Short mmCIF file of all heavy atoms in Angstrom, two decimals:
data_model
loop_
_atom_site.label_atom_id
_atom_site.label_comp_id
_atom_site.label_asym_id
_atom_site.label_seq_id
_atom_site.Cartn_x
_atom_site.Cartn_y
_atom_site.Cartn_z
N PRO A 332 -1.49 -7.30 13.51
CA PRO A 332 -0.72 -6.19 14.07
C PRO A 332 -0.30 -6.42 15.53
O PRO A 332 -1.12 -6.88 16.35
CB PRO A 332 -1.68 -5.00 13.93
CG PRO A 332 -2.47 -5.33 12.68
CD PRO A 332 -2.66 -6.80 12.77
N GLY A 333 0.92 -6.05 15.82
CA GLY A 333 1.46 -6.20 17.16
C GLY A 333 2.17 -7.52 17.41
O GLY A 333 2.62 -7.77 18.53
N SER A 334 2.27 -8.35 16.40
CA SER A 334 2.98 -9.63 16.54
C SER A 334 4.48 -9.41 16.43
O SER A 334 4.95 -8.76 15.50
CB SER A 334 2.52 -10.60 15.44
OG SER A 334 1.15 -10.90 15.57
N VAL A 335 5.22 -9.98 17.37
CA VAL A 335 6.68 -9.87 17.40
C VAL A 335 7.27 -11.24 17.66
O VAL A 335 6.93 -11.91 18.64
CB VAL A 335 7.16 -8.89 18.48
CG1 VAL A 335 8.68 -8.79 18.50
CG2 VAL A 335 6.56 -7.50 18.26
N LEU A 336 8.16 -11.67 16.76
CA LEU A 336 8.83 -12.97 16.91
C LEU A 336 10.30 -12.75 17.17
O LEU A 336 11.00 -12.07 16.41
CB LEU A 336 8.65 -13.83 15.64
CG LEU A 336 7.38 -14.66 15.52
CD1 LEU A 336 6.15 -13.76 15.45
CD2 LEU A 336 7.44 -15.55 14.28
N GLY A 337 10.79 -13.31 18.27
CA GLY A 337 12.21 -13.21 18.60
C GLY A 337 13.03 -14.14 17.72
O GLY A 337 12.50 -14.90 16.89
N LYS A 338 14.32 -14.13 17.91
CA LYS A 338 15.24 -14.89 17.08
C LYS A 338 14.89 -16.37 17.15
O LYS A 338 14.69 -16.94 18.20
CB LYS A 338 16.67 -14.66 17.54
CG LYS A 338 17.70 -15.36 16.66
CD LYS A 338 19.13 -15.01 17.06
CE LYS A 338 20.14 -15.68 16.14
NZ LYS A 338 21.52 -15.33 16.50
N ALA A 339 14.82 -17.00 15.97
CA ALA A 339 14.59 -18.44 15.81
C ALA A 339 13.27 -18.92 16.40
O ALA A 339 13.11 -20.10 16.69
CB ALA A 339 15.76 -19.22 16.41
N ALA A 340 12.31 -18.03 16.58
CA ALA A 340 10.99 -18.45 17.02
C ALA A 340 10.28 -19.15 15.87
O ALA A 340 10.63 -18.97 14.68
CB ALA A 340 10.19 -17.26 17.49
N ARG A 341 9.27 -19.93 16.23
CA ARG A 341 8.60 -20.74 15.21
C ARG A 341 7.10 -20.62 15.36
O ARG A 341 6.53 -20.86 16.44
CB ARG A 341 9.02 -22.22 15.36
CG ARG A 341 8.21 -23.23 14.53
CD ARG A 341 8.68 -23.22 13.10
NE ARG A 341 8.13 -24.37 12.34
CZ ARG A 341 6.95 -24.38 11.76
NH1 ARG A 341 6.15 -23.34 11.81
NH2 ARG A 341 6.53 -25.45 11.09
N VAL A 342 6.43 -20.24 14.28
CA VAL A 342 4.97 -20.18 14.21
C VAL A 342 4.57 -21.12 13.08
O VAL A 342 4.93 -20.90 11.93
CB VAL A 342 4.47 -18.74 13.94
CG1 VAL A 342 2.98 -18.76 13.64
CG2 VAL A 342 4.75 -17.86 15.14
N GLY A 343 3.78 -22.13 13.40
CA GLY A 343 3.48 -23.15 12.43
C GLY A 343 2.13 -22.97 11.74
O GLY A 343 1.54 -21.89 11.72
N ASN A 344 1.61 -24.09 11.21
CA ASN A 344 0.42 -24.02 10.38
C ASN A 344 -0.83 -23.74 11.22
O ASN A 344 -1.02 -24.27 12.33
CB ASN A 344 0.24 -25.33 9.61
CG ASN A 344 0.35 -26.57 10.45
OD1 ASN A 344 1.46 -26.90 10.86
ND2 ASN A 344 -0.74 -27.23 10.73
N PHE A 345 -1.64 -22.87 10.67
CA PHE A 345 -2.92 -22.46 11.27
C PHE A 345 -2.75 -21.90 12.69
O PHE A 345 -3.52 -22.16 13.59
CB PHE A 345 -3.91 -23.62 11.26
CG PHE A 345 -4.17 -24.15 9.89
CD1 PHE A 345 -3.62 -25.37 9.51
CD2 PHE A 345 -4.90 -23.43 8.97
CE1 PHE A 345 -3.81 -25.85 8.21
CE2 PHE A 345 -5.10 -23.91 7.69
CZ PHE A 345 -4.56 -25.12 7.31
N VAL A 346 -1.70 -21.08 12.83
CA VAL A 346 -1.47 -20.35 14.07
C VAL A 346 -1.74 -18.87 13.78
O VAL A 346 -1.31 -18.34 12.76
CB VAL A 346 -0.01 -20.53 14.59
CG1 VAL A 346 0.27 -19.59 15.75
CG2 VAL A 346 0.21 -21.98 14.97
N GLU A 347 -2.46 -18.24 14.71
CA GLU A 347 -2.77 -16.80 14.58
C GLU A 347 -2.22 -16.06 15.80
O GLU A 347 -2.38 -16.53 16.93
CB GLU A 347 -4.28 -16.58 14.47
CG GLU A 347 -4.67 -15.13 14.35
CD GLU A 347 -6.18 -14.93 14.20
OE1 GLU A 347 -6.91 -15.93 14.13
OE2 GLU A 347 -6.62 -13.76 14.20
#
Side-chain angles (χ1 to χ4, degrees):
S334 298
V335 178
L336 275 64
K338 185 175 181 179
R341 170 78 168 86
V342 170
N344 48 288
F345 303 105
V346 172
E347 179 179 355

